[in-house]
Amino acid sequence: MSLLKHSLLVTALLLVVLAGAALASPPQQQVDNIPSFTAAIRADLTLLVDTALPDGRPDDWTDNIDNTSPSYVPDLWYDKELLANEVFGEDRRPPEWFGVTVDVADVLARNVRHDLELIADQVFNDDRPPAWNGAAPIYRCSRVLQNTYFLAINNYSFITSFNADDFGFCTLVENELRLFLLEDRQLELSPDELGEAILATRGDIERLANEAFGVNDRPVGWAGNTDINSPLLLSDNRADLDLLADETLGVNVRPDGWVGLVNEQSQIDTWRNIRHDLEVLADELVPTFPSIEGDRPRGWQNDDPLRVCSIPLQDLVMVLEDLFTDADASFSRFDFELGEAYCDTVFAAANNFAEDSPVSELEQLLATGNLVFEAEFAFAYLDLTALEYVGSIPLGTPFRAWYRNFNDSTMMFVSGEDFALYVDRRWTTMPQDVFDRLPTIEGVAPLTFCDADWCNGPGPTPTPTGGAIESLLAFETPVVEVPVTEEGGVPREQKTQINFENVRINYLQDNEQARTAEVTLELCRDATLIDCEPVTLVSDAATDEIIPPLRQQDGQNVYEFPYGYTANRVLESATLLSNDVFLSPPELPRN
């Protein structure tokens, strides 16, 4: 047996020993259905070996098809490596090859799937036979992207908008995920910190230019913008950095790893690209400047060693540092020795940590399914759109949570001793971070029922003028007197928030085919719906973009809303605001 085959066998045996305890899928799930996923790998692996080696399989081939075996997934990895030896050579692998082993079944299977596709590229010349099972395109993406992607799905409820057949899927998802992490989750710098960072980058560009051209000597076209309040500071940094590279390395000659991109959607992404390219250029130029002691000019303002590493690796480290900050489960870019191998060291450590990361208390809760919380006068519905109201769950009633709705909706499917229905998370004791980690209801159609003694529906949602909701009124946000400005309104942060029960709706026109209605809206200060103010502004809760009215009627703005419960809009009047509204369809009573 060759030395490499012996090494493979030792590694596989080690994985088998660990398999009994460690190869169960952890809460940080990477593969949705591992039995189906691994069965497809075995079938494709068999098809590949029979095509590539029609005269017989490699020595020591396991051909393990028993998915109850503790060595089932390690044997997939082992057979994959044996086949790679025959296809590429014992000491050869494609540059994109993972080849890594890990003590987590679904991660190991994911890595096998990636490498199997590379073997298939070689054997089938990118043209898969009809019997090929394959897998979702994410499993062909880089190791860094896959780890960042699955961490974001499991911890931030990230959902990509791209389809499997979109050209350049991995690049599209990588860019979309980066924007999500930087803009939506804001895992990098605050706006104030970003301004200072952009100015600091300008200072370092000038320091490197001083070494290259001399103090106060700059090439034609140099912007030299140092105004932190200038809207052109970021673009001028990019332009001057490119000019610096052209003048020192040659026109359009760039160091390895250069990004060179401007993201019109994100200043912080553009700044990170510039900072990275500046560090890469400094690595290239500094050794040529005899006056510099060390690896950077005197006064260099960047103290973050990760900025010279690839942007995707920065993304992964940023996520790990956000998720793992406890003493017993932490990850930090500053834990590694600086030097030429720094980025390689961080790459290996970050990926290994992501693929076998510690389990938090919240993840254990999610893994065990012990998601038991209590209702706080929550309105209960038989349908996800909150049209079939069945009653208000009394304070302290326990329930178990199962699924959440998509996007910005706060609705979730729960069950108790004598009910299974939909409620709004905000009227329960469930924290937001737990709700965010619930699986979505996509592809699931749970059976709903309500047999508790508080069930009295289905029917229309009660309002203060048409039903008894004393328990809810006792729970609502108290109204605080707010002084009105001369303009007839106050800033949003001074407005009093009300619940959708205190929104008065005037129905103007129904579009039953689209299940929407044109309405004018008023926000009311108390349960009588008498002391009310017209809604003058509606905005998107996620983006804060203003949603213009359709028109005006009788001096009020006319808006179009879907039937049922809407929780992704912010409604504002002069001194009040509401984060939700409920429209009854025409077949239900309207008060």
Side-chain angles (χ1 to χ4, degrees), residues 73-314:
V73 178
D75 284 344
L76 291 174
W77 179 89
Y78 181 64
D79 286 351
K80 178 261 300 182
E81 290 293 332
L82 290 179
L83 180 57
N85 292 342
E86 302 293 337
V87 173
F88 301 117
E90 290 196 357
D91 298 321
R92 295 175 176 270
R93 293 293 188 270
E96 307 88 352
W97 190 262
F98 286 4
V100 291
T101 60
V102 63
D103 300 341
V104 181
D106 55 352
V107 179
L108 181 59
R110 183 195 81 185
N111 293 342
V112 172
R113 180 80 255 177
H114 174 273
D115 292 348
L116 197 63
E117 295 292 339
L118 295 178
I119 301 175
D121 288 344
Q122 182 74 14
V123 173
F124 299 132
N125 296 318
D126 296 330
D127 185 17
R128 303 294 192 264
W132 186 259
N133 290 287
I138 187 63
Y139 298 108
R140 298 215 60 179
C141 299
S142 71
R143 187 181 175 197
V144 167
L145 175 56
Q146 288 193 44
N147 281 322
T148 309
Y149 174 85
F150 287 113
L151 284 168
I153 285 178
N154 287 291
N155 294 277
Y156 305 134
S157 300
F158 171 74
I159 300 176
T160 182
S161 63
F162 296 106
N163 299 316
D165 55 354
D166 285 337
F167 180 76
F169 176 85
C170 293
T171 300
L172 293 173
V173 172
E174 180 178 271
N175 293 334
E176 180 183 39
L177 176 56
R178 180 170 302 126
L179 266 182
F180 172 82
L181 297 173
L182 293 176
E183 300 292 344
D184 293 6
R185 299 295 306 189
Q186 297 183 339
L187 297 188
E188 261 282 7
L189 308 177
S190 70
D192 290 341
E193 292 171 330
L194 177 59
E196 295 293 339
I198 294 173
L199 187 61
T201 301
R202 161 53 62 181
D204 288 345
I205 292 174
E206 295 294 339
R207 290 177 179 84
L208 198 58
N210 286 341
E211 300 294 336
F213 310 126
V215 178
N216 299 324
D217 187 7
R218 296 294 185 266
V220 175
W222 189 267
N225 188 348
T226 59
D227 182 3
I228 192 173
N229 297 314
S230 170
L232 299 177
L233 180 57
L234 190 62
S235 59
D236 284 343
N237 282 359
R238 177 82 264 174
D240 284 352
L241 180 60
D242 285 332
L243 184 56
L244 176 58
D246 284 342
E247 294 289 329
T248 55
L249 302 180
V251 177
N252 295 328
V253 177
R254 298 293 185 267
D256 291 340
W258 185 271
V259 179
L261 297 177
V262 172
N263 189 336
E264 299 293 344
Q265 297 177 274
S266 173
Q267 283 194 328
I268 192 168
D269 188 27
T270 298
W271 167 76
R272 287 208 312 167
N273 292 340
I274 295 172
R275 183 80 250 183
H276 168 269
D277 289 351
L278 176 59
E279 297 298 331
V280 170
L281 184 61
D283 278 348
E284 189 83 6
L285 295 181
V286 165
T288 67
F289 301 141
S291 63
I292 294 180
E293 297 181 2
D295 60 358
R296 290 294 184 270
R298 182 184 298 273
W300 197 259
Q301 296 188 65
N302 177 51
D303 58 0
D304 187 345
L306 193 68
R307 297 303 177 194
V308 75
C309 303
S310 72
I311 298 298
L313 180 57
Q314 292 185 38

Side-chain angles (χ1 to χ4, degrees), residues 371-376 378 393 396-401 412-417 419 423 425 427-430:
L371 301 174
V372 178
F373 300 94
E374 294 181 354
E376 295 180 333
I393 307 180
T397 302
F399 65 83
R400 180 177 178 183
M412 59 181 175
F413 177 72
V414 304
S415 67
E417 182 178 355
F419 60 88
V423 300
R425 180 205 66 81
W427 295 82
T428 72
T429 60
M430 175 183 283

Side-chain angles (χ1 to χ4, degrees), residues 501-514:
E501 302 89 355
N502 285 7
V503 179
R504 187 162 69 187
I505 304 171
N506 180 27
Y507 295 86
L508 303 178
Q509 182 175 326
D510 288 287
N511 184 344
E512 295 190 43
Q513 183 174 2

Side-chain angles (χ1 to χ4, degrees), residues 308-380:
V308 75
C309 303
S310 72
I311 298 298
L313 180 57
Q314 292 185 38
D315 293 339
L316 176 58
V317 170
M318 178 174 63
V319 169
L320 291 176
E321 290 178 333
D322 179 61
L323 295 176
F324 301 99
T325 58
D326 298 334
D328 296 331
S330 64
F331 189 92
S332 172
R333 67 191 71 186
F334 298 104
D335 288 344
F336 305 96
E337 184 177 350
L338 301 181
E340 292 185 2
Y342 173 79
C343 291
D344 291 337
T345 302
V346 174
F347 175 90
N351 282 290
N352 291 339
F353 192 97
E355 292 169 355
D356 195 11
S357 53
V359 178
S360 68
E361 182 178 348
L362 174 56
E363 287 171 330
Q364 291 176 343
L365 188 68
L366 291 161
T368 59
N370 188 29
L371 301 174
V372 178
F373 300 94
E374 294 181 354
E376 295 180 333
F377 302 117
F379 277 13

